[in-house]
Amino acid sequence: MNKMRIISTIVENKPGVLYKVSNMFRARGFNIDSITVGTTEKTDLSRMTIVINADEPTLKQLVKQLAKLIDVVHVDVIDPQNAIYRELALIKLNAIETKSRLEIISYANVFDSKVVDVSTEHITVEITGTPEKIDAFIKIISPFGIKELARTGVTALTRG
C-alpha cells in the first residue's frame, strides 16, 4: 500500500549532490513529491528531506540505493508518528472587497497563519504546518481565488 514516506538524508554540502540524488529517483522512474535541502549544524553537511508516495518494498529499495551514493553520509526513514514535520506555503489571494479581506484574515487567524502582504487587490498569507493543515487551509480559502501559490515541501526531524 502506497503512503507518504519521509526520507531524511545527510549529504555532503557541495555542488551536484542534489542532482545525483534526484537523478537516482528519476533513473528508477520514481516521483519525488517534495524535496528540501538546507545546511545542518555542520556547515559541510546538508539535510535533504525527501517525501515520496511508496509501498514498503519500494521504500526499502530506494533507501538502499540512496545509501550507496558516495555523497550520502546517512539515510533515515522518518516515522511521521514520531517526528516533527512542517511545510511552509505563501498564498496570494484575490481580495478587492473589504468583506473578502476580513474573511481571509479571519481564516488566517483560525489556522494560526499570518498575513504578510496586502495590496489594493491581493492579500498574501504565510502558513506553516503539516501538509494536511496547509491542504485544509487552501480548500477553505480557494473560493476567494488563489492568484499564486508557493509551497516549500516538507522538512522534518525525529522527536526526542
Side-chain angles (χ1 to χ4, degrees):
M1 179 173 89
N2 285 357
K3 64 179 191 177
M4 181 181 89
R5 312 290 181 153
I6 302 171
I7 303 169
S8 179
T9 306
I10 302 297
V11 298
E12 293 183 26
N13 187 10
K14 61 185 190 183
V17 175
L18 176 61
Y19 171 78
K20 289 177 186 174
V21 170
S22 62
N23 195 42
M24 189 278 296
F25 282 85
R26 183 208 54 82
R28 281 148 189 81
F30 212 82
N31 187 48
I32 296 172
D33 290 336
S34 76
I35 188 166
T36 60
V37 184
T39 56
T40 66
E41 66 282 3
K42 297 177 184 173
T43 56
D44 60 332
L45 298 175
S46 291
R47 179 178 306 273
M48 193 175 290
T49 305
I50 304 163
V51 176
I52 61 173
N53 194 348
D55 60 19
E56 191 66 29
T58 303
L59 175 67
K60 286 183 180 177
Q61 183 63 30
L62 289 170
V63 167
K64 191 182 291 183
Q65 295 296 316
L66 198 54
K68 288 181 183 177
L69 295 177
I70 195 159
D71 300 315
V72 173
V73 177
H74 184 76
V75 180
D76 268 333
V77 175
I78 293 182
D79 176 4
Q81 302 298 319
N82 190 29
I84 301 162
Y85 60 101
R86 299 286 185 271
E87 181 175 358
L88 180 141
L90 294 172
I91 307 164
K92 185 184 290 184
L93 297 156
N94 296 321
I96 297 172
E97 299 171 13
T98 303
K99 181 182 175 198
S100 297
R101 292 173 179 271
L102 294 174
E103 288 181 46
I104 291 168
I105 291 168
S106 176
Y107 286 129
N109 288 333
V110 168
F111 278 81
D112 199 24
S113 58
K114 56 185 169 181
V115 173
V116 292
D117 188 54
V118 176
S119 70
T120 55
E121 298 180 359
H122 304 104
I123 290 180
T124 302
V125 177
E126 172 191 304
I127 182 169
T128 304
T130 64
E132 296 81 12
K133 176 183 174 182
I134 293 171
D135 289 342
F137 183 69
I138 290 170
K139 186 176 178 181
I140 293 285
I141 50 90
S142 287
F144 295 102
I146 296 174
K147 174 83 172 158
E148 293 181 69
L149 172 69
R151 294 177 77 153
T152 61
V154 170
T155 192
L157 289 175
T158 57
R159 290 187 182 274

